[in-house]
Amino acid sequence: MTKLIVTDMDGTFLNDHHSFDTKMFEVILELCQKKNVQFAVASGSQYMRLVKQFEKYQTHINFICQNGASVYIGNRLLYSEKLTHEECSYTENPDRFISRA
């Protein structure tokens, strides 16, 4: 039994104009709700960008943001992973990171 449907945003769910068919989405969302199936959008984008695109549906869908670094159930933060100071310093000197691997 399906419990969750997840779709990537860019190049999958969104069309070439970076929008989606709202009427079709509402039909899909209604079917999901009737069958007690969660719907989530996944993106490398931040939560606020995704909310702007789905403002009308914000409390009815889930968001997997920043390539999985944060997850929202509607407008409630469920999970957030942050880089440590040491991990951030690897971006300044990637050779140090590669040599430690």
Side-chain angles (χ1 to χ4, degrees):
M1 178 192 299
T2 303
K3 296 287 187 178
L4 173 68
I5 296 173
V6 180
T7 184
D8 178 54
M9 292 294 294
D10 300 318
T12 304
F13 187 77
L14 299 178
N15 60 30
D16 292 339
H17 305 288
H18 302 287
S19 62
F20 59 95
D21 183 333
T22 55
K23 290 188 185 288
M24 178 64 78
F25 178 67
E26 288 174 3
V27 169
I28 292 167
L29 191 57
E30 184 178 335
L31 287 170
C32 286
Q33 290 171 341
K34 283 182 180 178
K35 296 191 176 278
N36 201 27
V37 174
Q38 296 287 312
F39 186 91
V41 293
S43 176
S45 297
Q46 294 181 348
Y47 175 70
M48 293 311 295
R49 176 180 171 253
L50 295 176
V51 166
K52 284 181 184 178
Q53 288 181 294
F54 291 93
E55 189 169 10
K56 181 178 176 181
Y57 316 102
Q58 178 183 2
T59 59
H60 302 288
I61 66 174
N62 306 312
F63 301 89
I64 302 169
C65 314
Q66 298 171 289
N67 294 320
S70 59
V71 177
Y72 289 79
I73 304 299
N75 58 4
R76 182 176 56 90
L77 179 63
L78 176 69
Y79 172 83
S80 179
E81 180 68 31
K82 296 175 177 71
L83 293 175
T84 66
H85 179 69
E86 182 182 14
E87 290 168 329
C88 288
S89 71
Y90 293 142
T91 61
E92 296 169 6
N93 186 355
D95 292 334
R96 194 171 104 195
F97 176 71
I98 293 169
S99 66
R100 295 182 86 196

XYZ file of all heavy atoms in Angstrom:
827
model
N 0.833 -1.177 0.000
C 0.000 0.000 0.000
C 0.883 1.247 0.000
O 1.825 1.348 0.771
C -0.899 0.000 1.233
C -1.754 1.223 1.305
S -2.619 1.508 2.861
C -3.628 0.086 3.011
N 0.576 2.173 -0.862
C 1.342 3.415 -0.966
C 0.993 4.338 0.200
O -0.175 4.563 0.499
C 1.033 4.126 -2.303
O 1.320 3.239 -3.371
C 1.841 5.395 -2.447
N 2.028 4.867 0.849
C 1.837 5.782 1.977
C 2.331 7.192 1.677
O 1.919 8.139 2.314
C 2.575 5.264 3.220
C 2.057 3.962 3.741
C 0.738 4.175 4.411
C 0.287 2.898 5.075
N -0.967 3.075 5.773
N 3.261 7.290 0.705
C 3.892 8.572 0.420
C 4.260 8.658 -1.051
O 4.809 7.711 -1.611
C 5.158 8.731 1.283
C 6.051 9.925 1.018
C 5.365 11.226 1.410
C 7.370 9.774 1.784
N 3.963 9.795 -1.648
C 4.405 10.098 -3.013
C 5.318 11.311 -2.915
O 4.943 12.335 -2.334
C 3.218 10.395 -3.942
C 2.350 9.156 -4.089
C 3.714 10.903 -5.293
C 1.069 9.393 -4.855
N 6.524 11.180 -3.466
C 7.503 12.266 -3.454
C 7.884 12.580 -4.892
O 8.122 11.674 -5.678
C 8.778 11.867 -2.666
C 9.785 13.003 -2.665
C 8.425 11.444 -1.256
N 7.942 13.855 -5.207
C 8.384 14.256 -6.541
C 9.477 15.308 -6.440
O 9.435 16.176 -5.565
C 7.208 14.799 -7.390
O 7.692 15.094 -8.710
C 6.592 16.041 -6.802
N 10.442 15.195 -7.316
C 11.461 16.229 -7.466
C 10.799 17.429 -8.139
O 9.805 17.276 -8.858
C 12.614 15.694 -8.321
C 13.687 16.735 -8.545
O 14.177 17.291 -7.544
O 14.026 16.999 -9.708
N 11.313 18.587 -7.916
C 10.705 19.787 -8.479
C 11.239 20.117 -9.872
O 10.542 19.941 -10.851
C 10.956 20.980 -7.540
C 10.230 20.861 -6.231
S 8.457 20.930 -6.434
C 8.269 22.592 -7.011
N 12.467 20.607 -9.932
C 13.037 21.087 -11.188
C 13.266 19.944 -12.159
O 13.903 18.957 -11.834
C 14.350 21.840 -10.922
C 14.132 23.042 -10.001
O 13.129 23.737 -10.192
O 14.952 23.260 -9.105
N 12.712 20.095 -13.357
C 12.903 19.095 -14.400
C 11.997 17.880 -14.267
O 12.029 16.992 -15.109
N 11.172 17.827 -13.233
C 10.257 16.702 -13.054
C 8.829 17.219 -12.869
O 7.996 17.066 -13.747
C 10.669 15.843 -11.841
O 12.023 15.420 -12.017
C 9.789 14.613 -11.704
N 8.561 17.818 -11.730
C 7.214 18.298 -11.436
C 6.907 19.620 -12.132
O 5.818 19.831 -12.631
C 7.055 18.448 -9.916
C 5.657 18.785 -9.491
C 4.672 17.817 -9.467
C 5.332 20.073 -9.117
C 3.374 18.126 -9.082
C 4.044 20.400 -8.727
C 3.063 19.419 -8.710
N 7.886 20.503 -12.157
C 7.682 21.811 -12.778
C 7.865 21.730 -14.284
O 8.714 20.994 -14.781
C 8.664 22.837 -12.202
C 8.556 23.105 -10.705
C 9.625 24.103 -10.283
C 7.172 23.603 -10.333
N 7.090 22.528 -15.006
C 7.239 22.570 -16.460
C 8.388 23.503 -16.850
O 9.096 24.017 -15.975
C 5.911 22.989 -17.123
C 5.440 24.354 -16.688
O 6.224 25.247 -16.364
N 4.119 24.533 -16.668
N 8.539 23.741 -18.137
C 9.637 24.582 -18.626
C 9.539 26.033 -18.170
O 10.505 26.787 -18.238
C 9.708 24.541 -20.155
C 10.120 23.179 -20.677
O 10.714 22.400 -19.906
O 9.835 22.885 -21.858
N 8.372 26.433 -17.684
C 8.158 27.805 -17.212
C 8.237 27.870 -15.682
O 7.818 28.863 -15.088
C 6.809 28.328 -17.701
C 6.647 28.250 -19.184
N 7.317 29.079 -20.061
C 5.920 27.408 -19.959
C 6.998 28.760 -21.299
N 6.156 27.754 -21.269
N 8.742 26.813 -15.075
C 8.914 26.713 -13.617
C 7.592 26.873 -12.862
O 7.541 27.467 -11.789
C 9.956 27.709 -13.103
C 11.288 27.524 -13.743
N 12.113 26.469 -13.439
C 11.925 28.236 -14.705
C 13.198 26.542 -14.165
N 13.111 27.600 -14.953
N 6.531 26.337 -13.455
C 5.226 26.340 -12.797
C 4.609 24.953 -12.985
O 5.225 24.063 -13.576
C 4.323 27.431 -13.382
O 4.075 27.191 -14.745
N 3.413 24.762 -12.460
C 2.750 23.469 -12.600
C 1.258 23.686 -12.834
O 0.714 24.763 -12.574
C 2.998 22.584 -11.374
C 2.518 23.173 -10.072
C 1.270 22.858 -9.568
C 3.318 24.037 -9.344
C 0.815 23.391 -8.377
C 2.884 24.578 -8.140
C 1.623 24.261 -7.659
N 0.599 22.660 -13.322
C -0.827 22.696 -13.600
C -1.569 22.581 -12.272
O -1.686 21.495 -11.707
C -1.174 21.536 -14.537
C -2.626 21.510 -14.962
O -3.487 22.022 -14.214
O -2.904 20.943 -16.031
N -2.076 23.688 -11.773
C -2.707 23.684 -10.447
C -3.981 22.840 -10.416
O -4.244 22.169 -9.422
C -3.016 25.116 -9.962
O -3.806 25.786 -10.932
C -1.740 25.885 -9.719
N -4.751 22.856 -11.485
C -5.977 22.050 -11.514
C -5.650 20.559 -11.414
O -6.282 19.817 -10.660
C -6.799 22.351 -12.763
C -7.429 23.743 -12.740
C -8.391 23.915 -13.890
C -8.930 25.318 -13.958
N -9.860 25.643 -12.912
N -4.655 20.123 -12.173
C -4.245 18.717 -12.121
C -3.679 18.374 -10.744
O -3.973 17.323 -10.180
C -3.215 18.411 -13.205
C -2.703 16.975 -13.177
S -3.984 15.753 -13.525
C -4.081 15.926 -15.280
N -2.880 19.287 -10.190
C -2.303 19.045 -8.879
C -3.403 18.915 -7.823
O -3.331 18.057 -6.941
C -1.325 20.156 -8.492
C -0.748 19.972 -7.124
C 0.113 18.920 -6.846
C -1.085 20.833 -6.100
C 0.635 18.732 -5.578
C -0.561 20.667 -4.829
C 0.297 19.609 -4.567
N -4.426 19.747 -7.896
C -5.516 19.671 -6.929
C -6.253 18.345 -7.014
O -6.660 17.784 -5.994
C -6.458 20.863 -7.107
C -5.821 22.153 -6.619
C -6.651 23.394 -6.895
O -7.778 23.278 -7.427
O -6.154 24.492 -6.571
N -6.407 17.810 -8.222
C -7.030 16.487 -8.391
C -6.148 15.417 -7.743
O -6.632 14.561 -7.000
C -7.260 16.171 -9.889
C -7.637 14.715 -10.093
C -8.317 17.096 -10.468
N -4.845 15.491 -8.000
C -3.905 14.526 -7.428
C -3.904 14.617 -5.901
O -3.974 13.608 -5.204
C -2.487 14.738 -7.991
C -2.452 14.376 -9.473
C -1.443 13.945 -7.203
C -1.206 14.826 -10.202
N -3.857 15.827 -5.396
C -3.831 16.030 -3.950
C -5.118 15.523 -3.294
O -5.082 14.875 -2.239
C -3.606 17.505 -3.630
C -3.294 17.856 -2.190
C -2.065 17.095 -1.695
C -3.082 19.344 -2.045
N -6.237 15.760 -3.929
C -7.516 15.265 -3.395
C -7.537 13.738 -3.367
O -7.983 13.137 -2.388
C -8.675 15.798 -4.234
C -10.025 15.412 -3.684
C -11.177 15.989 -4.489
O -11.001 17.027 -5.153
O -12.267 15.390 -4.436
N -7.046 13.113 -4.424
C -6.971 11.648 -4.449
C -6.053 11.124 -3.346
O -6.370 10.132 -2.687
C -6.487 11.153 -5.819
C -7.489 11.250 -6.956
C -6.802 10.958 -8.286
C -8.650 10.305 -6.725
N -4.928 11.779 -3.163
C -4.003 11.381 -2.091
C -4.682 11.476 -0.729
O -4.579 10.558 0.092
C -2.746 12.258 -2.108
S -1.599 11.913 -3.442
N -5.391 12.560 -0.501
C -6.048 12.751 0.787
C -7.140 11.703 1.010
O -7.271 11.173 2.114
C -6.610 14.169 0.890
C -5.510 15.205 0.998
C -5.998 16.638 0.883
O -7.093 16.905 0.393
N -5.174 17.572 1.331
N -7.890 11.374 -0.027
C -8.945 10.363 0.093
C -8.366 8.997 0.436
O -8.988 8.206 1.138
C -9.749 10.274 -1.200
C -10.737 11.391 -1.376
C -11.526 11.224 -2.649
C -12.506 12.364 -2.816
N -13.267 12.250 -4.079
N -7.171 8.709 -0.084
C -6.544 7.407 0.137
C -5.547 7.427 1.293
O -4.805 6.473 1.488
C -5.878 6.928 -1.143
C -6.874 6.686 -2.258
C -6.240 5.964 -3.403
C -7.247 5.633 -4.464
N -8.007 4.440 -4.183
N -5.499 8.554 2.015
C -4.585 8.712 3.155
C -3.123 8.528 2.749
O -2.342 7.866 3.428
C -4.966 7.761 4.292
C -4.414 8.227 5.615
O -4.196 9.418 5.826
N -4.172 7.293 6.509
N -2.778 9.115 1.606
C -1.415 9.076 1.082
C -0.817 10.470 1.219
O -1.431 11.454 0.805
C -1.398 8.624 -0.398
C -0.003 8.730 -0.991
C -1.940 7.216 -0.533
N 0.364 10.553 1.805
C 1.068 11.825 1.949
C 1.696 12.216 0.610
O 2.121 11.351 -0.156
C 2.173 11.706 2.998
C 1.673 11.415 4.385
C 1.009 12.622 4.998
O 1.548 13.729 4.966
N -0.174 12.429 5.548
N 1.775 13.521 0.343
C 2.421 14.027 -0.860
C 3.541 14.963 -0.436
O 3.346 15.823 0.426
C 1.424 14.788 -1.749
C 1.998 15.203 -3.063
C 1.899 14.373 -4.168
C 2.654 16.416 -3.214
C 2.440 14.738 -5.390
C 3.199 16.798 -4.422
C 3.095 15.953 -5.518
N 4.711 14.790 -1.032
C 5.865 15.637 -0.685
C 6.571 16.102 -1.950
O 6.646 15.376 -2.937
C 6.845 14.862 0.193
N 7.084 17.315 -1.879
C 7.946 17.830 -2.938
C 9.369 17.831 -2.399
O 9.606 18.102 -1.222
C 7.523 19.231 -3.406
C 6.173 19.176 -4.096
C 7.485 20.235 -2.279
N 10.313 17.485 -3.254
C 11.724 17.419 -2.863
C 12.526 18.343 -3.770
O 12.300 18.386 -4.981
C 12.237 15.992 -2.978
N 13.460 19.061 -3.150
C 14.240 20.027 -3.922
C 15.517 20.386 -3.182
O 15.607 20.232 -1.969
C 13.400 21.293 -4.137
O 14.136 22.287 -4.800
N 16.460 20.892 -3.921
C 17.652 21.461 -3.309
C 17.389 22.864 -2.786
O 18.211 23.436 -2.087
N 16.221 23.390 -3.096
C 15.860 24.748 -2.685
C 15.522 24.821 -1.201
O 15.221 23.814 -0.567
C 14.644 25.234 -3.477
O 14.943 25.301 -4.840
N 15.501 26.053 -0.708
C 15.126 26.287 0.681
C 13.610 26.245 0.831
O 12.853 26.450 -0.124
C 15.671 27.627 1.158
C 17.180 27.661 1.210
C 17.702 28.999 1.706
O 16.970 29.971 1.811
N 18.985 29.031 2.021
N 13.184 25.996 2.054
C 11.770 25.867 2.379
C 10.952 27.073 1.912
O 9.887 26.903 1.315
C 11.630 25.667 3.894
C 10.223 25.639 4.400
C 9.374 24.568 4.115
C 9.733 26.676 5.189
C 8.083 24.531 4.597
C 8.432 26.646 5.670
C 7.612 25.573 5.371
O 6.345 25.542 5.854
N 11.433 28.261 2.149
C 10.655 29.454 1.814
C 10.395 29.569 0.310
O 9.333 30.033 -0.102
C 11.332 30.720 2.347
C 11.345 30.805 3.862
S 9.735 30.500 4.655
C 8.795 31.888 4.068
N 11.318 29.138 -0.514
C 11.092 29.155 -1.971
C 9.989 28.170 -2.336
O 9.100 28.469 -3.127
C 12.356 28.813 -2.735
C 12.095 28.745 -4.241
C 13.346 28.399 -5.040
N 12.996 28.152 -6.410
C 12.975 26.946 -6.967
N 13.295 25.882 -6.278
N 12.646 26.795 -8.228
N 10.031 26.989 -1.732
C 9.006 25.992 -2.027
C 7.636 26.435 -1.528
O 6.623 26.234 -2.203
C 9.388 24.650 -1.405
C 10.643 23.994 -1.982
C 10.981 22.728 -1.221
C 10.478 23.710 -3.467
N 7.602 27.047 -0.365
C 6.328 27.520 0.184
C 5.703 28.564 -0.739
O 4.483 28.585 -0.927
C 6.521 28.078 1.611
C 5.308 28.871 2.071
C 6.785 26.940 2.571
N 6.521 29.410 -1.330
C 5.985 30.416 -2.262
C 5.270 29.735 -3.437
O 4.246 30.217 -3.898
C 7.093 31.330 -2.773
C 7.528 32.352 -1.770
C 8.613 33.245 -2.339
C 9.097 34.209 -1.273
N 10.187 35.051 -1.764
N 5.823 28.634 -3.915
C 5.214 27.931 -5.037
C 3.960 27.160 -4.626
O 3.089 26.924 -5.443
C 6.218 26.965 -5.669
C 7.309 27.678 -6.437
C 8.269 26.712 -7.068
O 8.987 26.016 -6.378
N 8.268 26.674 -8.382
N 3.895 26.741 -3.357
C 2.793 25.902 -2.879
C 2.044 26.551 -1.722
O 1.485 25.855 -0.877
C 3.339 24.542 -2.437
C 3.839 23.713 -3.568
C 5.168 23.751 -3.925
C 2.972 22.907 -4.290
C 5.645 22.985 -4.975
C 3.437 22.135 -5.345
C 4.776 22.183 -5.686
N 2.008 27.874 -1.696
C 1.425 28.598 -0.563
C 0.000 28.130 -0.258
O -0.361 27.908 0.894
C 1.450 30.097 -0.840
C 1.072 30.931 0.348
C 1.360 32.401 0.110
O 1.677 32.799 -1.022
O 1.253 33.147 1.087
N -0.781 27.940 -1.271
C -2.181 27.517 -1.106
C -2.285 26.114 -0.491
O -3.270 25.794 0.171
C -2.876 27.550 -2.467
C -4.325 27.174 -2.452
C -4.915 27.298 -3.841
C -6.351 26.833 -3.878
N -6.925 26.937 -5.229
N -1.266 25.301 -0.685
C -1.298 23.892 -0.268
C -0.354 23.599 0.901
O -0.191 22.443 1.286
C -0.908 22.991 -1.445
C -1.578 23.387 -2.734
C -0.897 24.105 -3.708
C -2.907 23.071 -2.965
C -1.515 24.488 -4.885
C -3.533 23.441 -4.146
C -2.841 24.151 -5.096
O -3.454 24.530 -6.257
N 0.254 24.628 1.447
C 1.340 24.467 2.424
C 0.991 23.508 3.559
O 1.816 22.703 3.969
C 1.732 25.826 2.987
C 2.815 25.763 4.041
C 3.136 27.126 4.622
O 2.535 28.122 4.270
N 4.099 27.162 5.517
N -0.221 23.578 4.086
C -0.563 22.727 5.230
C -1.031 21.338 4.809
O -1.289 20.498 5.668
C -1.650 23.393 6.100
O -2.810 23.629 5.293
C -1.142 24.702 6.692
N -1.103 21.085 3.506
C -1.598 19.796 3.014
C -0.517 18.910 2.403
O -0.796 17.769 2.042
C -2.694 20.027 1.974
C -3.838 20.825 2.492
N -4.761 20.329 3.386
C -4.189 22.115 2.270
C -5.637 21.259 3.680
N -5.312 22.364 3.020
N 0.687 19.450 2.251
C 1.778 18.658 1.662
C 3.014 18.754 2.549
O 3.051 19.532 3.497
C 2.104 19.101 0.212
C 2.668 20.521 0.177
C 0.880 18.974 -0.680
C 3.148 20.947 -1.210
N 4.002 17.962 2.203
C 5.265 17.933 2.939
C 6.378 18.442 2.028
O 6.268 18.388 0.807
C 5.558 16.520 3.414
C 4.398 15.969 4.215
O 3.885 16.622 5.105
N 3.951 14.782 3.877
N 7.448 18.897 2.654
C 8.556 19.492 1.915
C 9.875 18.863 2.346
O 10.182 18.845 3.533
C 8.628 21.004 2.184
C 7.382 21.749 1.810
C 6.349 21.907 2.720
C 7.243 22.295 0.547
C 5.194 22.603 2.385
C 6.089 22.997 0.199
C 5.065 23.144 1.122
N 10.629 18.360 1.378
C 11.988 17.871 1.614
C 12.893 18.895 0.941
O 12.914 19.005 -0.281
C 12.190 16.464 1.037
C 11.168 15.502 1.655
C 13.627 15.988 1.271
C 11.097 14.152 0.974
N 13.578 19.680 1.750
C 14.296 20.857 1.252
C 15.809 20.694 1.366
O 16.298 19.862 2.127
C 13.888 22.082 2.059
S 12.122 22.242 2.304
N 16.497 21.543 0.647
C 17.952 21.633 0.717
C 18.604 20.256 0.594
O 19.463 19.887 1.379
C 18.368 22.334 2.004
C 17.849 23.756 2.056
C 18.065 24.391 3.398
O 17.421 24.033 4.377
N 18.994 25.328 3.436
N 18.149 19.508 -0.414
C 18.673 18.172 -0.689
C 18.578 17.243 0.521
O 19.453 16.429 0.774
C 20.117 18.245 -1.199
C 20.189 18.927 -2.542
O 19.334 18.714 -3.397
N 21.183 19.778 -2.721
N 17.485 17.381 1.269
C 17.249 16.508 2.410
C 17.743 17.031 3.735
O 17.562 16.379 4.764
N 18.345 18.208 3.757
C 18.876 18.753 5.006
C 17.766 19.230 5.939
O 17.974 19.327 7.144
C 19.846 19.896 4.730
N 16.590 19.504 5.394
C 15.452 19.851 6.251
C 14.175 19.263 5.669
O 14.008 19.183 4.450
C 15.326 21.367 6.430
O 15.162 22.006 5.190
N 13.308 18.837 6.572
C 12.039 18.212 6.184
C 10.920 18.868 6.985
O 11.018 19.006 8.208
C 12.063 16.692 6.454
C 10.720 16.054 6.114
C 13.189 16.022 5.675
N 9.882 19.263 6.280
C 8.719 19.890 6.905
C 7.489 19.043 6.630
O 7.278 18.593 5.502
C 8.477 21.290 6.346
C 9.497 22.303 6.770
C 10.750 22.368 6.159
C 9.211 23.209 7.787
C 11.687 23.313 6.552
C 10.142 24.157 8.179
C 11.377 24.193 7.564
O 12.303 25.136 7.956
N 6.680 18.860 7.648
C 5.357 18.265 7.506
C 4.407 19.458 7.521
O 4.161 20.044 8.574
C 5.035 17.288 8.662
C 6.099 16.205 8.772
C 3.641 16.712 8.506
C 6.251 15.339 7.549
N 3.942 19.826 6.343
C 3.178 21.070 6.239
C 4.069 22.234 6.593
O 5.110 22.441 5.973
N 3.707 22.969 7.631
C 4.533 24.103 8.044
C 5.311 23.822 9.327
O 5.847 24.726 9.942
C 3.676 25.366 8.196
C 2.550 25.177 9.194
O 2.433 24.146 9.836
N 1.696 26.179 9.301
N 5.379 22.558 9.722
C 6.088 22.171 10.952
C 7.411 21.493 10.603
O 7.447 20.502 9.879
C 5.215 21.223 11.774
C 5.830 20.798 13.091
C 4.876 19.930 13.902
N 4.424 18.757 13.187
C 5.050 17.573 13.209
N 6.149 17.417 13.899
N 4.566 16.552 12.533
N 8.500 22.035 11.132
C 9.821 21.453 10.901
C 9.917 20.102 11.602
O 9.712 20.002 12.809
C 10.917 22.387 11.425
C 12.358 21.891 11.268
C 12.728 21.733 9.796
C 13.318 22.840 11.958
N 10.203 19.068 10.840
C 10.347 17.722 11.393
C 11.808 17.366 11.618
O 12.167 16.736 12.606
C 9.711 16.693 10.447
C 9.858 15.237 10.824
C 9.021 14.934 12.066
C 9.443 14.336 9.677
N 12.679 17.801 10.692
C 14.084 17.391 10.727
C 14.935 18.492 10.123
O 14.555 19.116 9.141
C 14.257 16.099 9.922
C 15.683 15.679 9.711
C 16.359 14.966 10.694
C 16.360 15.990 8.543
C 17.676 14.581 10.511
C 17.678 15.607 8.358
C 18.323 14.907 9.341
O 19.631 14.530 9.171
N 16.100 18.718 10.717
C 17.049 19.678 10.169
C 18.462 19.225 10.498
O 18.765 18.932 11.654
C 16.792 21.066 10.756
O 17.721 21.984 10.232
N 19.293 19.158 9.506
C 20.697 18.762 9.687
C 21.559 19.956 9.304
O 21.427 20.502 8.220
C 21.036 17.565 8.801
C 22.455 17.084 8.921
C 22.767 16.452 10.274
O 21.867 15.863 10.876
O 23.917 16.561 10.717
N 22.431 20.331 10.207
C 23.305 21.475 9.951
C 24.762 21.021 9.878
O 25.146 20.060 10.539
C 23.139 22.510 11.063
C 21.755 23.103 11.125
C 21.617 24.025 12.304
C 20.287 24.688 12.355
N 19.178 23.863 12.685
N 25.539 21.718 9.090
C 26.967 21.440 9.023
C 27.656 22.003 10.267
O 27.294 23.073 10.759
C 27.584 22.089 7.786
C 27.152 21.527 6.439
C 27.762 22.352 5.317
C 27.534 20.071 6.296
N 28.642 21.295 10.743
C 29.432 21.796 11.865
C 30.414 22.848 11.349
O 30.653 22.963 10.139
C 30.228 20.662 12.535
O 31.207 20.184 11.587
C 29.321 19.532 12.993
N 31.008 23.571 12.271
C 32.012 24.569 11.893
C 33.159 23.887 11.142
O 33.644 24.409 10.131
C 32.525 25.289 13.135
C 33.571 26.311 12.832
N 33.279 27.480 12.166
C 34.903 26.334 13.081
C 34.383 28.173 12.015
N 35.382 27.511 12.563
N 33.578 22.730 11.612
C 34.672 22.003 10.958
C 34.276 21.595 9.538
O 35.054 21.743 8.602
C 35.053 20.765 11.775
C 36.217 20.010 11.168
C 36.577 18.751 11.954
O 35.780 18.325 12.805
O 37.654 18.204 11.684
N 33.057 21.107 9.363
C 32.603 20.717 8.026
C 32.546 21.918 7.089
O 32.892 21.805 5.913
C 31.232 20.046 8.120
C 31.279 18.683 8.764
C 29.910 18.146 9.115
O 28.991 18.943 9.415
O 29.753 16.916 9.110
N 32.137 23.060 7.613
C 32.097 24.279 6.792
C 33.498 24.696 6.365
O 33.694 25.214 5.271
C 31.427 25.413 7.549
S 29.658 25.197 7.725
N 34.479 24.471 7.214
C 35.843 24.869 6.875
C 36.394 24.047 5.712
O 37.305 24.487 5.028
C 36.757 24.745 8.097
O 36.988 23.397 8.419
N 35.840 22.863 5.472
C 36.287 22.051 4.335
C 36.020 22.756 3.016
O 36.744 22.568 2.050
C 35.600 20.691 4.318
C 35.974 19.792 5.469
C 35.029 18.976 6.056
C 37.270 19.742 5.968
C 35.360 18.136 7.110
C 37.613 18.916 7.024
C 36.647 18.118 7.583
O 36.981 17.291 8.617
N 34.981 23.579 2.964
C 34.687 24.277 1.721
C 35.737 25.323 1.408
O 35.953 25.667 0.258
C 33.295 24.943 1.766
O 33.269 25.896 2.821
C 32.203 23.913 1.953
N 36.413 25.812 2.440
C 37.475 26.788 2.234
C 38.760 26.116 1.752
O 39.567 26.722 1.080
C 37.754 27.540 3.539
C 36.571 28.358 4.006
C 36.745 28.871 5.414
O 37.835 28.704 6.014
O 35.779 29.447 5.943
N 38.952 24.866 2.141
C 40.157 24.128 1.769
C 39.765 22.681 1.457
O 39.934 21.795 2.280
C 41.187 24.177 2.917
C 42.500 23.552 2.516
O 42.623 22.999 1.425
N 43.479 23.611 3.401
N 39.211 22.441 0.258
C 38.716 21.101 -0.067
C 39.803 20.026 -0.061
O 39.522 18.860 0.182
C 38.102 21.266 -1.456
C 38.578 22.565 -1.974
C 39.003 23.389 -0.809
N 41.076 20.385 -0.285
C 42.148 19.402 -0.250
C 42.257 18.758 1.141
O 42.552 17.580 1.259
C 43.498 20.028 -0.630
C 43.534 20.435 -2.089
O 42.798 19.833 -2.890
O 44.303 21.351 -2.420
N 41.999 19.528 2.165
C 42.024 19.003 3.512
C 40.936 17.936 3.694
O 41.166 16.920 4.334
C 41.806 20.151 4.499
C 42.150 19.755 5.914
C 42.136 20.969 6.817
N 40.899 20.877 7.567
C 40.355 21.836 8.239
N 40.919 23.019 8.229
N 39.262 21.677 8.909
N 39.785 18.160 3.115
C 38.685 17.203 3.210
C 39.016 15.921 2.447
O 38.838 14.830 2.940
C 37.390 17.816 2.666
C 36.258 16.850 2.644
C 35.665 16.427 3.822
C 35.771 16.361 1.443
C 34.593 15.544 3.820
C 34.711 15.483 1.434
C 34.126 15.072 2.615
N 39.548 16.080 1.246
C 39.869 14.921 0.402
C 40.950 14.084 1.073
O 40.881 12.869 1.089
C 40.303 15.363 -1.005
C 39.089 16.005 -1.730
C 40.844 14.212 -1.814
C 39.429 16.714 -2.998
N 41.950 14.713 1.668
C 43.033 13.957 2.281
C 42.566 13.201 3.518
O 43.148 12.189 3.882
C 44.196 14.883 2.631
O 43.810 15.805 3.640
N 41.490 13.654 4.167
C 40.988 12.985 5.367
C 40.097 11.812 5.010
O 39.824 10.966 5.839
C 40.211 13.960 6.235
C 41.101 15.064 6.781
C 40.323 15.963 7.661
N 40.332 15.373 8.993
C 39.512 15.707 9.954
N 38.595 16.609 9.752
N 39.605 15.152 11.146
N 39.584 11.795 3.801
C 38.626 10.748 3.400
C 39.295 9.400 3.254
O 40.449 9.224 3.123
C 37.952 11.138 2.109
